[in-house]
Amino acid sequence: MKFRAFTALAVAAAMAVPAAAETRVTYKSAKTASSYYQMAVQIAEAMQEASGGEISVTVEESQGSVQNVMEVRGRGGDYVFTTPPVLVSLAQGGKAMFEGKGDPAFDDIRALFPIPSLTMHFVMTEESGAKTFDDLKGKTILLGKGSFGATEGEKYLELFGVQDEVSIADVELSNAVPAMQNGQIDGFVTAGSWPAPNVVEAAASTGVHVLSLSDEQIAETKRTKLVIPAGTYAGQDEDIVTTSLPVVAFTTTKMDDETAYQLTKTYWEQKASMAEAAKWWGGVDEALMENITGQIHAGAVRYYEEAGFTLTDDQK
């Protein structure tokens, strides 16, 4: 009788202890055909596995970095998104594409961790014969809509004096490779960390040439020079010289400190295993922390201080 009573009490006590609550996070990155979407899926899987299922990350497709920032206005504490830090600065200052769209929510944006940089790709079919920006004259190019790559691509066409001599295709970037295969376009512009999945597919299926920029052209863009090594894409016999822009994963002050801490800790601890599956993670190290130009979430700061990272006063 005593044994039965003890057992009943033990079961009741066990049932009274709540199971660890699952932390749900929404991670908004980019279009499904991009390298950034694939990175998001990798991060989601790494978070799920490393946390034993206590952190559940849902990946959402995005129309681009600007949209990711704009959605801060209506999102809660579970929202994580990627964007170049410069767009956060523009949003907080109400400048450029954020002019007249300012919101107090933008001031609550906080960084979590850096991810591989946006890398510009001007991808042309071999059949087009285009090797330089001057060769784009008379060609039909797909820029996409609403993404950083589309905006940046348009800027480059203007900088290099060919914007009025290029036809812009009204096609979604996710359809770039099929459009190239059926002759609907001569090339497309995409911004994603290399190797970019849609460029890999295009190079393997149709044969492409990715344009290189001269040092003078890179200086005009005011972006960072980046070299994509020869052999990265099928048929690529030479290095590709192009530009890049830092990208960071952000959230807002609505996220609780513990979640921000766990996300940041898991990201850095799982980075090496993610690099085994995709080489774009190989270039992520502590040096990339300089890409974070604004404040870091307090929970993430806790991890960085524990791990011995050096943070600037602006980041704290």
Side-chain angles (χ1 to χ4, degrees):
M1 183 69 179
K2 289 182 180 179
F3 177 77
R4 289 180 181 174
F6 175 79
T7 302
L9 287 171
V11 171
M15 293 177 64
V17 177
E22 180 184 51
T23 300
R24 294 182 178 274
V25 174
T26 297
Y27 188 109
K28 200 170 187 77
S29 56
K31 293 177 182 288
T32 54
S34 71
S35 56
Y36 283 95
Y37 189 88
Q38 291 192 17
M39 286 181 205
V41 172
Q42 282 184 287
I43 290 173
E45 291 174 347
M47 295 287 179
Q48 180 87 12
E49 182 177 349
S51 70
E54 291 183 13
I55 298 178
S56 175
V57 181
T58 300
V59 178
E60 280 189 10
E61 183 180 21
S62 162
Q63 295 306 305
S65 299
V66 174
Q67 178 197 3
N68 293 355
V69 178
M70 293 296 288
E71 287 196 17
V72 164
R73 299 174 299 175
R75 293 283 191 153
D78 64 337
Y79 185 49
V80 176
F81 65 98
T82 61
T83 196
V86 65
L87 290 189
V88 174
S89 297
L90 291 174
Q92 292 173 339
K95 298 177 181 178
M97 66 283 290
F98 298 99
E99 186 175 357
K101 301 175 183 177
D103 194 284
F106 295 148
D107 293 328
D108 295 331
I109 294 173
R110 297 290 185 270
L112 290 174
F113 44 80
I115 62 175
S117 299
L118 278 166
T119 304
M120 289 299 294
H121 293 73
F122 282 81
V123 187
M124 304 300 297
T125 63
E126 288 287 1
E127 188 177 343
S128 73
K131 304 292 184 182
T132 69
F133 278 88
D134 278 342
D135 295 335
L136 300 185
K137 296 175 182 178
K139 302 297 190 295
T140 299
I141 307 295
L142 167 58
L143 291 178
K145 301 174 183 177
S147 67
F148 168 81
T151 304
E152 192 80 346
E154 187 175 16
K155 182 183 87 171
Y156 286 27
L157 295 178
E158 183 176 354
L159 278 177
F160 307 143
V162 296
Q163 76 275 20
D164 294 330
E165 300 183 67
V166 171
S167 298
I168 305 300
D170 185 20
V171 180
E172 289 290 335
L173 185 60
S174 56
N175 294 322
V177 177
M180 181 178 276
Q181 291 171 334
N182 64 30
Q184 189 177 353
I185 60 173
D186 297 300
F188 65 90
V189 180
T190 188
S193 184
W194 63 272
N198 49 359
V199 182
V200 170
E201 182 182 359
S205 61
T206 65
V208 300
H209 181 82
V210 181
L211 304 189
S212 277
L213 281 70
S214 66
D215 288 343
E216 292 75 16
Q217 288 173 324
I218 290 172
E220 286 186 71
T221 68
K222 296 181 171 59
R223 300 299 187 202
T224 302
K225 179 179 178 178
L226 184 143
V227 177
I228 302 174
T232 298
Y233 300 112
Q236 178 201 342
D237 299 325
E238 299 178 349
D239 291 347
I240 298 165
V241 181
T242 185
T243 60
S244 67
L245 187 68
V247 181
V248 170
F250 292 91
T251 186
T252 70
T253 55
K254 292 179 182 178
M255 176 173 283
D256 67 87
D257 288 359
E258 183 61 22
T259 299
Y261 172 82
Q262 293 296 340
L263 289 174
T264 306
K265 181 176 187 289
T266 303
Y267 170 77
W268 286 101
E269 290 183 349
Q270 294 300 308
K271 186 185 71 66
S273 62
M274 291 193 294
E276 293 176 4
K279 59 184 179 181
W280 49 53
W281 296 112
V284 177
D285 55 24
E286 186 175 346
L288 220 58
M289 289 294 292
E290 68 181 20
N291 290 347
I292 300 178
T293 53
Q295 279 187 277
I296 298 174
H297 193 288
V301 168
R302 176 183 145 209
Y303 166 74
Y304 288 122
E305 290 179 340
E306 287 181 359
F309 282 58
T310 301
L311 302 181
T312 66
D313 291 339
D314 290 339
Q315 290 174 334
K316 298 178 185 179

